[in-house]
């Protein structure tokens, strides 16, 4: 089992996904992401299906490039479908970009407007802390001492408009 599957556009890998994966690994949060799991000759579809199946949550990196890519949108749709059919929280949205870009992203995915989301601008440490909280590991000894003062900041979680 993995704690989180990271759904993203390949263009977001360098600036967002790799730093996030590194921070999760330091915090002992297990994650599934394509680069580490899919090897030469593997069936991409089978590996992604497996990753979605064995991961407790799906962290979706929602960016301007994400909305242009059909493949990560299929991953998001699969996770939303599972969430709707089971009633269990699976999708954890992470919005990237300016306020205007975030608004365009949310307008493309109306079902996500129902969710509390994190913003990439709040920093990797805030995302790690929120993930620990979600996993029920917030009180683990020694975790927060490893974070810098800026990483310990309270995450900015905008409420959806009603």
């Amino acid at each position: 089992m993995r704690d989180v599957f990271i759904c993203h556009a390949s263009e977001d890998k360098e600036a967002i996904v790799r730093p996030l994966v590194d921070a999760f690994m330091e915090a002992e949060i297990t994650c599934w992401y394509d680069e580490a799991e899919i090897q030469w000759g593997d069936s991409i579809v089978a590996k992604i299906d497996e990753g979605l199946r064995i991961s407790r949550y799906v962290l979706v990196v929602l960016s301007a490039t994400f909305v242009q890519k059909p493949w990560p949108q299929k991953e998001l749709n699969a996770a939303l479908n599972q969430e709707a059919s089971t009633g269990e929280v699976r999708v954890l949205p992470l919005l990237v970009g300016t306020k205007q870009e975030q608004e365009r992203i949310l307008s493309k995915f109306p079902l996500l407007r129902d969710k509390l989301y994190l913003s990439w601008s709040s920093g990797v440490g805030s995302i790690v802390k929120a993930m620990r909280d979600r996993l029920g590991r917030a009180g683990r000894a020694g975790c927060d001492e490893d974070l810098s003062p800026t990483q310990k900041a309270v995450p900015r979680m905008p409420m959806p408009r009603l």
Side-chain angles (χ1 to χ4, degrees):
M1 289 295 291
R2 302 291 171 85
D3 294 321
V4 63
F5 177 102
I6 301 180
C7 173
H8 65 285
S10 57
E11 291 82 356
D12 296 324
K13 193 175 302 283
E14 190 63 37
I16 298 164
V17 176
R18 285 188 188 125
L20 198 53
V21 167
D22 290 345
F24 282 165
M25 286 175 30
E26 281 185 38
E28 298 178 4
I29 296 170
T30 59
C31 57
W32 191 104
Y33 78 107
D34 59 354
E35 210 171 61
E37 304 293 337
I38 302 172
Q39 296 182 11
W40 187 14
D42 285 345
S43 165
I44 295 169
V45 172
K47 284 294 198 174
I48 289 174
D49 281 344
E50 176 189 22
L52 288 168
R53 188 177 57 256
I54 68 168
S55 298
R56 185 170 174 191
Y57 297 106
V58 177
L59 186 155
V60 184
V61 179
L62 295 161
S63 67
T65 54
F66 181 94
V67 299
Q68 298 171 356
K69 300 287 192 153
W71 190 267
Q73 289 181 44
K74 285 183 181 288
E75 296 170 357
L76 170 60
N77 291 339
L80 284 171
N81 184 318
Q82 189 176 33
E83 187 174 273
S85 64
T86 65
E88 293 179 19
V89 172
R90 291 266 296 151
V91 177
L92 305 175
L94 176 64
L95 278 150
V96 177
T98 65
K99 285 280 190 203
Q100 294 78 17
E101 289 169 329
Q102 290 180 5
E103 190 58 38
R104 280 192 295 275
I105 292 164
L106 289 173
S107 70
K108 175 130 171 108
F109 303 103
L111 287 176
L112 294 179
R113 287 193 179 275
D114 176 54
K115 293 187 156 288
L116 190 62
Y117 59 85
L118 289 179
S119 175
W120 176 247
S121 63
S122 63
V124 173
S126 296
I127 297 162
V128 169
K129 181 187 180 318
M131 183 60 73
R132 273 198 214 118
D133 291 347
R134 183 85 226 180
L135 293 166
R137 300 180 193 163
R140 220 172 74 221
C143 289
D144 287 338
E145 289 80 23
D146 297 336
L147 298 177
S148 71
T150 55
Q151 290 175 319
K152 291 181 186 178
V154 176
R156 197 179 110 252
M157 291 190 253
M159 297 297 290
R161 292 188 195 145
L162 300 177

